[in-house]
Amino acid sequence: LQRSQQLKRSVWLVPAPRRLNSGLPMNIGVLFVPQQEAWVVERMGKFHRILEPGLNFLIPLLDRIRYVQSLKEIVINVPEQSAVTLDNVTLQIDGVLYLRVLDPYKASYGVEDPEYAVTQLAQTTMRSELGKLSLDRVFRERESLNANIVDAINQASDCWGIRCLRYEIKDIHVPPRVKESMQMQVEAERRKRAMVLESEGTRESAINVAEGQKQAQILASEAEKAEQINKAAGEANAMLVKARAKAEAIQLLAAALAQQHGSAAASLSVAEQYVSAFSKLAKDSNTLLLPANAGDVTNMVAQALGIYSSLTKPQAVRTQDEVPPAREDPQPPITEMLKAEEASSS
């Protein structure tokens, strides 16, 4: 166990790969500093000044170029390391770090090896940030995780004259068993979504069928209502037409009765209808209802004419002192004609 712990510590303490330097330039009095570089000069072992890009003059033997700092953006690969999440899952994770030197003096005298220091700080910050998150949140919150690592590095590297621009996680390796469980979880989630979608489709189908039946019943009831309204309107119009026709017929009949011999013609028509009614009863049914004097046709006709005359004759206004005079029913000429016709037929 002690050997394994020592091996792990030795792996963690392996310095990050550094960029290649061409070596420190020699002081020959006249120097040309390239663009995006800063040369730190010491005079007799003490910091003197920083040479700017272009032509510079130094005193040989007294001045010495101690550090050469590149002002370009530096890319550093953070080695793969193991980290434990909040739910006790061990992950293998690595990343890429982007740096830039802002102050050559602090970068030269603030830390011995700035790149190595920033790399170790990135690894420790990554482990601490992963310990705050569960496995599911690690995959969902990679951007926030990168931002937290950058903020933590910048707070510590401010005194080193280095600025961390961004940090990106490259790969996250999950143990095989955890990967299998995650795959099973994904499959279960997909089956759940499929079942949910199928149930929603069934529900939508049932809703559509019920809605169609509802609309069909509404349309059928509206059609029946319209049919009944049209039928009632037709019957009302027919009744109005019949009533108007009957009123016109009554007016024509009244006009005909007001003419000369109209009363005699009406009496003849009533007598014919009275006689034909008994003949229809004898033909249409086995049961026959006859008056007591059915054999006396003359009396039947006279009775029918008497009923008609009593209905048509206007009633005179009587006073309390008047006594109605005795009336003799004259024998209408139509009765004598019927009697003569009956005698000849018998």
Side-chain angles (χ1 to χ4, degrees):
L1 292 175
Q2 292 178 356
R3 289 181 181 178
S4 61
Q5 291 177 359
Q6 290 177 0
L7 289 175
K8 289 182 180 180
R9 290 176 182 176
S10 63
V11 171
W12 290 349
L13 297 176
V14 172
R18 302 178 59 185
R19 65 184 185 277
L20 297 178
N21 293 327
S22 57
L24 297 177
M26 295 182 62
N27 183 9
I28 57 176
V30 179
L31 300 174
F32 298 94
V33 179
Q35 185 68 32
Q36 290 297 102
E37 284 190 4
W39 293 2
V40 179
V41 178
E42 292 181 354
R43 175 169 293 180
M44 293 182 293
K46 185 179 179 181
F47 172 77
H48 177 58
R49 67 189 180 99
I50 298 175
L51 301 181
E52 299 293 335
L55 178 62
N56 292 274
F57 297 95
L58 293 177
I59 301 174
L61 301 176
L62 294 179
D63 296 335
R64 178 186 175 188
I65 301 172
R66 181 63 175 170
Y67 300 100
V68 175
Q69 301 291 345
S70 176
L71 303 180
K72 299 178 183 179
E73 187 173 349
I74 306 169
V75 181
I76 301 175
N77 289 322
V78 179
E80 184 177 1
Q81 61 177 340
S82 62
V84 181
T85 61
L86 184 62
D87 49 357
N88 297 326
V89 178
T90 303
L91 300 178
Q92 298 293 329
I93 187 168
D94 57 357
V96 180
L97 189 63
Y98 297 86
L99 303 175
R100 175 174 290 177
V101 176
L102 300 181
D103 190 348
Y105 177 81
K106 291 182 178 181
S108 301
Y109 297 100
V111 62
E112 180 66 25
D113 192 345
E115 296 179 6
Y116 177 73
V118 171
T119 302
Q120 296 299 315
L121 180 60
Q123 289 181 339
T124 55
T125 306
M126 185 189 303
R127 284 194 296 269
S128 62
E129 292 294 331
L130 284 176
K132 301 176 183 179
L133 301 176
S134 61
L135 180 61
D136 295 334
R137 294 183 59 189
V138 169
F139 294 100
R140 290 197 306 264
E141 300 181 4
R142 294 182 66 171
E143 294 183 0
S144 62
L145 182 62
N146 295 335
N148 293 335
I149 294 174
V150 170
D151 293 339
I153 293 174
N154 287 330
Q155 290 178 4
S157 63
D158 188 21
C159 59
W160 300 340
I162 298 175
R163 182 71 177 174
C164 179
L165 302 179
R166 56 189 177 276
Y167 180 85
E168 298 293 337
I169 297 175
K170 291 197 299 183
D171 296 323
I172 300 177
H173 300 284
V174 184
R177 292 185 179 180
V178 177
K179 187 180 294 184
E180 291 177 0
S181 62
M182 292 174 63
Q183 187 67 26
M184 293 174 62
Q185 182 180 2
V186 171
E187 293 177 358
E189 185 68 23
R190 289 179 179 176
R191 287 196 299 269
K192 175 184 174 182
R193 292 180 182 178
M195 294 177 65
V196 169
L197 292 176
E198 185 177 359
S199 62
E200 289 180 355
T202 304
R203 184 187 66 178
E204 293 293 334
S205 176
I207 291 173
N208 292 334
V209 172
E211 189 70 21
Q213 293 178 356
K214 175 183 175 182
Q215 294 294 332
Q217 291 179 359
I218 292 173
L219 293 176
S221 62
E222 290 180 355
E224 185 178 359
K225 176 182 176 182
E227 182 181 0
Q228 292 179 359
I229 291 173
N230 293 334
K231 186 177 180 180
E235 292 178 354
N237 292 331
M239 293 175 65
L240 290 175
V241 171
K242 289 180 180 180
R244 290 173 183 171
K246 190 174 181 180
E248 291 178 359
I250 292 173
Q251 291 178 0
L252 293 175
L253 181 59
L257 291 175
Q259 294 180 2
Q260 189 178 4
H261 303 294
S263 178
S267 299
L268 178 60
S269 176
V270 170
E272 289 178 353
Q273 293 178 3
Y274 189 78
V275 173
S276 63
F278 286 102
S279 63
K280 289 183 179 180
L281 286 174
K283 291 179 182 179
D284 296 340
S285 177
N286 295 328
T287 303
L288 183 61
L289 300 175
L290 294 175
N293 54 354
D296 192 357
V297 180
T298 304
N299 293 331
M300 291 173 57
V301 174
Q303 185 179 1
L305 292 176
I307 295 172
Y308 173 74
S309 62
S310 65
L311 293 174
T312 56
K313 185 177 180 180
Q315 296 180 357
V317 180
R318 302 177 181 179
T319 60
Q320 295 181 357
D321 298 334
E322 289 181 348
V323 177
R327 184 182 55 152
E328 294 181 358
D329 288 336
Q331 189 76 10
I334 188 63
T335 307
E336 296 178 355
M337 292 173 62
L338 289 173
K339 287 183 178 181
E341 185 177 357
E342 182 181 359
S344 60
S345 61
S346 61

